[in-house]
Amino acid sequence: MSIPRHIAIVMDGNGRWAQRRHLPRKLGHREGQKAVRATVEHCRERGVESLTLFAFSSENWSRPDEEVGALMQLFVKALDSEVDELDRNGVRLNFVGDLERFDVELAARMRAAMARTAGNIALRLNIAVNYGGRWDIAQAARSLAAAALRGELAIEAIDEDLLGRHTCLAEQAPVDLFIRTGGEVRVSNFLLWQIAYAELYFSPVLWPDFDAAALDAAIDTFARRERRFGQTSAQVRATG
């Protein structure tokens, strides 16, 4: 079976999961942490190289202060409780996004966790925080513009390949499989550059209920799809 090298997931439905049980939304986010653990472990077992999870978008700052505060507390607790296990299991942790807006202590913990796990190779776990796909492309463009202004780069040299090398996750395989849980059918400004040729999979399952079986269903669907990358089916069969 074809296994995606890189899976990206929009973990949607935490709040609705809690509301359906007449619980505070923050408890849905706590329950969603269990789904994160199960997904990380199952990806590692199935030989996925990279897993990118959309934990907190740049737009999420507009949510109620109580919910944002609960998410920040969850990040701190997760760093305290999960990094040891991730390190033992050979998982390399990487936070993707603009970390400057976070509390200084929290940002320092994120960077310490990345440094601690930097040598691990079993799975690359990317956590997108204060991240947006448009921001990612814009910061890549700024980087190239700055190099051009310094005289280090000719404008004519800027192409898709060069721009892509300045986006987040450029050193990892492109996203093969994009999953969104919770029943919504949109990409929500997530990895816009990196999912250009990804297979899209939308699940009605709310994130706290997303388990190994749900992930396997997405991977099975991916394995059945024909990935042509602009070629015809006949060309794919001839080279396959």
Side-chain angles (χ1 to χ4, degrees):
M1 176 185 291
S2 177
I3 301 295
R5 295 177 64 191
H6 190 164
I7 297 176
I9 305 179
V10 177
M11 305 177 293
D12 197 14
N14 291 317
R16 281 174 287 153
W17 183 93
Q19 289 173 332
R20 290 179 185 180
R21 290 160 177 78
H22 306 289
L23 299 170
R25 287 176 60 89
K26 64 182 180 181
L27 293 184
H29 293 295
R30 291 181 189 174
E31 197 68 22
Q33 187 63 28
K34 298 178 183 178
V36 170
R37 294 190 199 103
T39 300
V40 170
E41 178 61 23
H42 201 53
C43 282
R44 190 176 67 86
E45 291 174 351
R46 297 216 57 177
V48 175
E49 293 178 15
S50 297
L51 171 64
T52 302
L53 302 176
F54 205 5
F56 192 83
S57 75
S58 51
E59 291 85 4
N60 285 156
W61 292 107
S62 63
R63 290 192 175 190
D65 291 343
E66 181 182 3
E67 184 171 349
V68 172
L71 283 169
M72 294 303 106
Q73 292 177 7
L74 186 61
F75 286 156
V76 172
K77 290 181 180 179
L79 285 170
D80 289 341
S81 63
E82 304 292 338
V83 173
D84 286 347
E85 184 174 357
L86 291 173
D87 195 28
R88 283 195 301 270
N89 290 323
V91 177
R92 180 176 179 177
L93 185 60
N94 182 38
F95 289 97
V96 181
D98 184 0
L99 303 187
E100 298 305 317
R101 186 165 177 181
F102 290 106
D103 175 85
V104 173
E105 182 181 353
L106 176 55
R109 291 190 187 196
M110 291 179 183
R111 293 188 177 96
M114 288 191 285
R116 176 177 173 181
T117 61
N120 295 338
I121 60 173
L123 173 71
R124 299 191 71 162
L125 173 60
N126 307 300
I127 305 296
V129 289
N130 195 25
Y131 174 89
R134 291 176 175 176
W135 166 86
D136 193 358
I137 296 169
Q139 64 85 26
R142 282 196 301 271
S143 177
L144 292 175
L149 286 173
R150 293 192 300 268
E152 301 169 358
L153 176 68
I155 296 296
E156 296 76 15
I158 299 176
D159 56 14
E160 289 184 19
D161 179 67
L162 186 58
L163 181 64
R165 281 187 269 140
H166 284 76
T167 59
C168 295
L169 309 181
E171 78 285 2
Q172 299 181 43
V175 175
D176 292 315
L177 175 59
F178 171 100
I179 300 171
R180 183 177 184 134
T181 65
E184 302 289 355
V185 186
R186 55 178 176 268
V187 299
S188 291
N189 196 24
F190 185 40
L191 299 178
L192 298 180
W193 185 274
Q194 295 85 348
I195 66 171
Y197 282 98
E199 298 297 319
L200 307 184
Y201 181 88
F202 298 97
S203 170
V205 177
L206 300 178
W207 177 248
D209 293 327
F210 196 82
D211 55 13
L215 180 58
D216 281 339
I219 293 175
D220 290 346
T221 298
F222 169 84
R224 292 194 299 270
R225 293 183 183 174
E226 182 181 70
R227 309 191 75 204
R228 296 193 296 271
F229 300 100
Q231 295 182 320
T232 66
S233 295
Q235 286 176 305
V236 172
R237 288 194 293 269
T239 58

